[in-house]
Amino acid sequence: MFNSNIGRLRFFFYSAALLVAEIVTFVLCVVGTVGFEGLANSRPGPSREGLAAAVLVTSLVIVLFRANFAWRRSRDAQGSGWILWSYIVFSTLFAILQAGTVLVVKFDGEDSHSGLDLLGLALVGLWAVILAGKPAGGGSAYMASSLSFDDFDPPGPLRGTAALHSASAAGATALAPAYAARAAPVPSNHPASQPASPANGRPRPGGFGKRGLV
């Protein structure tokens, strides 16, 4: 199940499902440790270590699934190895930094996370490249087979002309033996080549205006 190649559509839906699973697990980690109220009222530091550890573990598990899906999609699309490994490494760094952000974040609106945001944008770009990879079989052999004229179907205005030409050629081929048989020479010793004699034994007149002997 986790070794087969996956196409673009399946990779998209798998990634969407992982994103939903990541959000759900984060909510469960918050609820199971300090709660939303406790998180909002807590100060950065040791009071959030349990939450940060739970977020880190669950995020790394999701990274494993994300890496597996990306590897299967990259293999199906014959993608570049450095793009795949960059995506996996950046996903791991994002999970670690996300857990660290939970540990030190302040909810007073003064904290900025530009580094984490830039890393997230890089991940989205790498994910888009992996998603848009050309499927296997799109090389020169595939292009040559797609340009074959064996199954060429002409457009509408030419389709009737091509069919009429084919029918005419077939008819000419069928009539060729009949014309050949009709035009074949008759041998000199064949009975049909001898002049026919009258029934009374008299010879046929020799020419125009001449009568034969009685």
Side-chain angles (χ1 to χ4, degrees):
M1 175 180 179
F2 293 99
N3 293 326
S4 61
N5 298 345
I6 57 177
R8 293 175 180 172
L9 189 61
R10 290 176 60 189
F11 180 69
F12 177 82
F13 283 114
Y14 286 174
S15 300
L18 283 178
L19 180 61
V20 174
E22 187 173 11
I23 296 174
V24 171
T25 53
F26 180 82
V27 172
L28 293 178
C29 289
V30 173
V31 173
T33 54
V34 296
F36 288 100
E37 185 177 356
L39 178 63
N41 297 327
S42 63
R43 297 179 61 85
S47 61
R48 299 180 184 175
E49 290 180 354
L51 174 61
V55 170
L56 178 61
V57 171
T58 55
S59 298
L60 290 178
V61 171
I62 292 177
V63 166
L64 290 177
F65 283 97
R66 186 173 286 123
N68 178 264
F69 295 151
W71 169 68
R72 291 161 63 186
R73 172 64 189 137
S74 180
R75 186 179 61 180
D76 176 73
Q78 298 178 349
S80 178
W82 72 269
I83 295 178
L84 173 64
W85 283 108
S86 298
Y87 179 75
I88 295 174
V89 171
F90 284 1
S91 297
T92 306
L93 290 177
F94 188 86
I96 296 173
L97 292 178
Q98 182 176 248
T101 302
V102 172
L103 186 63
V104 298
V105 66
K106 296 179 180 180
F107 296 99
D108 52 6
E110 297 181 358
D111 290 342
S112 61
H113 312 286
S114 57
L116 192 63
D117 296 338
L118 290 176
L119 185 58
L121 289 176
L123 275 175
V124 172
L126 292 172
W127 175 85
V129 172
I130 296 174
L131 175 68
K134 183 185 297 184
S140 58
Y142 176 78
M143 295 298 294
S145 64
S146 63
L147 294 177
S148 176
F149 293 95
D150 295 339
D151 299 329
F152 175 72
D153 188 15
L158 300 179
R159 189 177 294 113
T161 305
L164 180 61
H165 177 73
S166 301
S168 301
T173 305
L175 292 177
Y179 283 112
R182 184 180 299 176
V186 180
S188 59
N189 58 353
H190 195 274
S193 65
Q194 302 298 328
S197 299
N200 54 6
R202 295 180 180 180
R204 185 180 298 275
F208 179 77
K210 297 180 180 181
R211 299 179 58 89
L213 297 178
V214 179

